[in-house]
Amino acid sequence: LYPKKQLILPDIMTEMQVEHLFRAAHSLKGRCVGGLLYGCGLRISEVCNLRIQDIDSANKRIKVVQGKGGKDRFTLLPQQLLEQLRNYYLEAGRPQEFLFTSTQTQRALHVRSMQLVVNAAMQKAGFESGRFTAHTIRHSFATHLLNQGNNLHVIKTLLGHSKLETTMIYLHLQHHTQLGIVSPLEKLGDGTVGD
């Protein structure tokens, strides 16, 4: 018999914290990376391996090629992020294959280097070191989509999860008030608990 796996809820950022992060990210690269994590729900490794040809600007979507579990999928591409990616492409000297390229190797940027970009943006935003990570931004993408009333199966597809159970963790992070759920205590008379 194996012990039951613990359910540990991930940290998420509020919409205000995400907005603050984007305002604080001074570099175009930082805004693009943050936009791909929050606007598209990509994993940091998927941001590193994003190729120019996978950005489908006509259909406003990004193709994730061989994401975790060796699966291809499509995800969202917000218009404002598309404009920033175009600007970054020009600023980076029109890279040939990968959007984020290492100056030393001319290959896709390493995950560790990409984490440094995210950490620098978090630091500029004034968040305590280690509190939020690139994965926190992805968790926030999923939770905020759920809060907006989007279908769990659609979110599962956008995130590239193979099991619905993995996506269901975001139900625990959802704002109950937005679901119209009210504690039964609120329904008692004046809502106060007697002595």
Side-chain angles (χ1 to χ4, degrees):
L1 292 172
Y2 295 99
K4 221 175 181 185
K5 198 176 173 188
Q6 286 181 302
L7 174 67
I8 299 168
L9 296 178
D11 283 334
I12 60 156
M13 300 170 79
T14 64
E15 280 94 340
M16 281 177 63
Q17 286 172 323
V18 173
E19 215 171 293
H20 182 62
L21 175 67
F22 281 110
R23 277 202 306 272
H26 298 308
S27 76
L28 180 56
K29 185 180 192 175
R31 286 195 301 277
C32 287
V33 171
L36 289 163
L37 295 166
Y38 182 72
C40 312
L42 297 186
R43 296 176 178 94
I44 195 158
S45 58
E46 294 167 345
V47 174
C48 291
N49 293 311
L50 180 63
R51 295 177 304 174
I52 310 298
Q53 68 187 47
D54 299 330
I55 300 169
D56 183 356
S57 49
N59 295 304
K60 304 279 193 317
R61 63 185 187 170
I62 287 177
K63 184 179 185 182
V64 180
V65 178
Q66 296 297 286
K68 192 175 175 183
K71 296 188 300 285
D72 289 0
R73 73 179 193 278
F74 283 101
T75 188
L76 312 169
L77 175 55
Q79 180 62 41
Q80 66 186 63
L81 176 59
L82 175 59
E83 300 303 326
Q84 290 184 333
L85 294 178
R86 283 175 175 155
N87 292 337
Y88 177 76
Y89 172 73
L90 296 173
E91 187 183 272
R94 300 174 188 264
Q96 294 302 298
E97 186 178 2
F98 298 99
L99 182 62
F100 301 103
T101 308
S102 162
T103 47
Q104 287 86 20
T105 64
Q106 298 305 309
R107 298 291 300 151
L109 203 62
H110 192 272
V111 170
R112 188 73 205 106
S113 303
M114 193 62 83
Q115 283 168 335
L116 293 173
V117 173
V118 176
N119 293 347
M122 292 290 185
Q123 198 174 1
K124 281 193 182 109
F127 296 122
E128 64 184 80
S129 178
R131 181 179 176 198
F132 298 132
T133 64
H135 218 62
T136 307
I137 304 173
R138 180 174 142 92
H139 288 318
S140 304
F141 161 83
T143 307
H144 297 169
L145 275 180
L146 204 54
N147 285 342
Q148 291 165 16
N150 290 287
N151 184 297
L152 198 63
H153 288 275
V154 173
I155 297 169
K156 170 188 172 289
T157 305
L158 293 173
L159 291 171
H161 288 162
S162 49
K163 295 180 184 168
L164 187 61
E165 289 75 33
T166 311
T167 317
M168 283 175 72
I169 194 164
Y170 299 110
L171 290 170
H172 294 276
L173 302 170
Q174 204 175 7
H175 290 302
H176 295 102
T177 50
Q178 287 177 306
L179 294 172
I181 299 170
V182 179
S183 166
L185 182 62
E186 301 284 356
K187 302 287 185 188
L188 296 180
D190 60 359
T192 56
V193 182
D195 294 36

